[in-house]
Amino acid sequence: MSVLNTAQRNAVQELLRVSPVADELGRRFGAAGHELHLVGGSVRDALLGRLGDDLDFCTDARPEQTLAVVKGWADAIWETGREFGTIGVQKDGLRLEITTYRAEAYDGVTRNPVVEYGDNLLDDLRRRDFTINAMAVSLPGHVFTDPYGGLEDLAAGLIRTPSRPEESFGDDPLRMLRAARFAAKLRFTVDPPVLAAMRAMAADLDRITAERIRDEFTKLLCGQDPVGGLRLLVDTGLADRFLPELSGLKLEIDEHAQHKDVYEHTLIVVSNAVRLEGDTGPDFTLRMAALMHDVGKPATKAVGRDGRVSFHHHEVVGARLTKQRMKAMRYPKDVTSAVVELVALHLRFYGYGRGEWTDSAVRRYVTDAGDLLPRLHKLTRSDCTTRNRRKAAALAADYDALEERIARIQAEEDLARVRPDLDGNAIMELLGVPPGPIVGQAWRHLKELRLDRGPLDRDEAEAELRRWAREHGHIS
């Protein structure tokens, strides 16, 4: 009972913080003859002591009636969600979303709900996804409503549906993915009947748009415990519906155990990446690269005559597969490009410890990574999952040495802005050529020299340009 009391104290403290605005809004709705309740995630987060500045409310008022109540009071109003019964309001630094009671229905075929307004709070709460999101607090009276045991489930760390899970998931299959997402976000356990329904109904996720799946998956991967959520996706078969590469990492291990379990290795890499984020908050790009870095291994697995397993060029294949999957999930091109580049570069470091890297190789490493270099550092370190302490220490020391070497060369040469020692205008003047392909070819040649040899002085650069031009017949 002490856990519940703690949750209730948290809620009181959080509600007191926002009550000047929330209670004032409740009084305005009451004066207009309507009910108003703080609801859903806002009540859950208040009970957990982590209520933010985005508040969710429900009411019996229709959208046009809500607009009449908030006009002249709100600092700003937006109506982008009006067709779904939601009016947005900004007031004293708080963002409020006020939604008419819902009794939405699905026809079992279309991908989006058909919005139907309800007329009472209990029906509205019953249609919500999970009991922990089906609690409400009336305003301004602060009467707590919890018809489905959400408070006890919150205290127990349990994900459970208000109605039968088959009915809930039949209404909106995306809720199966949300169950895994909340498990990752809150470190909660999914109720066994809910888990069974997720397994039995995984194929129903195919009814959901790629964009809605993408958004839920992104939130899952950015949760406190993404690995727990990812395991749920694989164990229930949900991953097979939109991210089959993840399940595909479960390669059969050969009888001599010549390669590690790629699936388990990947989950450890994700955990390592989360740990290395520090205080910067969830980094989706880094976490996604950690998740996808070895997806090319199943397609490149080969067993040699000595029985050893290899995955030659799996980073190249993995980058291609990552691009295809993220495109199918409708991720923005810039995000996709960053993740793909990290997957392609994640093996580049290996071999550094053998002393094979010249300053030229270090420059190329930095230049190829570009703005992704800090993430590449973290991804490469995360990828070291060996249980051999001596090997792990050696790899860490090698990467420490590489970072120190990068820092030294950056300080000397400003690697963030590697450019040829002559620009396009100087090239045209020296060679006596107009703008065109020759200038571009010469520029690229000089950049390669810059990467190989470091900065050249003006005389050296001009001599190298003339030598290149003579060899290619551009000057006599």
Side-chain angles (χ1 to χ4, degrees), residues 28 39 51 72 102 110 117 143 212 248 271 335 344 352 355 374 390 421 438:
R28 291 180 68 89
V39 73
L51 182 61
R102 299 271 283 273
T110 58
Y117 296 136
V143 176
R212 292 183 73 204
S271 291
V335 177
Y352 176 79
R390 182 178 299 178
D421 297 284
I438 292 175

Side-chain angles (χ1 to χ4, degrees), residues 306-357:
D306 59 357
R308 293 190 174 275
V309 176
S310 64
F311 306 96
H312 293 306
H313 305 300
H314 75 266
E315 75 282 10
V316 177
V317 175
R320 175 172 53 80
L321 292 174
T322 299
K323 183 176 182 178
Q324 292 172 351
R325 180 53 53 198
M326 293 187 70
K327 181 178 180 181
M329 293 177 71
R330 305 289 195 271
Y331 277 103
K333 289 183 179 180
D334 58 335
V335 177
T336 299
S337 177
V339 175
V340 168
E341 191 66 16
L342 287 170
V343 172
L345 291 172
H346 84 274
L347 279 185
R348 183 78 69 87
F349 160 73
Y350 293 95
Y352 176 79
R354 296 195 295 268
E356 299 171 355
W357 281 36

